[in-house]
Amino acid sequence: MSGFVRRRPFTSVFLLLLILLFGWIWQERVALWAFPDIISAYTAKEYCSCRYVMNNDAGYCRGYVKQWLPFSGFTDDEASKRVTVSGMGRSNSAQWIGERQGCRLQP
């Protein structure tokens, strides 16, 4: 084993880093699995709050919720004050409940 490390030090360091990376991924697998859902839920909730609680313009709110990870689908139903956002394979909706409750994510 030590002969391999001496002959190929860069490969050895790369393999060690790869093993550490996979270990970290395994340890954080629950959080990493939830990440795609967080993107669409955050965008839907923040847009709904910006648009229907703060009564801002739709264009302003679209810029407000823009992220470095783009979303693939976006629907703003003004009649029911419901926002649906799809991104990274997940979809979430937020709806304005009332003046005192604001917006809430829908199950």
Side-chain angles (χ1 to χ4, degrees):
M1 181 67 177
S2 66
F4 178 79
V5 173
R6 285 190 188 130
R7 283 191 316 259
R8 294 188 170 91
F10 294 115
T11 303
S12 300
V13 170
F14 175 74
L15 288 174
L16 178 64
L17 290 175
L18 194 62
I19 290 169
L20 291 173
L21 176 67
F22 283 131
W24 176 78
I25 288 172
W26 180 255
Q27 184 178 355
E28 299 294 331
R29 67 189 179 279
V30 174
L32 291 171
W33 186 256
F35 181 74
D37 205 33
I38 292 169
I39 297 296
S40 58
Y42 169 83
T43 304
K45 175 78 167 58
E46 286 298 310
Y47 181 88
C48 181
S49 296
C50 178
R51 182 88 166 100
Y52 300 114
V53 175
M54 302 304 293
N55 294 316
N56 289 315
D57 181 61
Y60 171 80
C61 292
R62 292 268 303 206
Y64 177 73
V65 299
K66 187 176 181 180
Q67 300 179 36
W68 57 275
L69 286 174
F71 42 85
S72 56
F74 185 90
T75 306
D76 180 7
D77 183 7
E78 293 184 33
S80 65
K81 296 185 177 181
R82 182 181 180 102
V83 179
T84 304
V85 178
S86 301
M88 297 183 74
R90 310 278 175 92
S91 182
N92 282 286
S93 296
Q95 186 168 15
W96 186 73
I97 304 301
E99 192 173 311
R100 294 181 59 89
Q101 294 87 7
C103 290
R104 185 176 300 154
L105 285 172
Q106 301 297 308

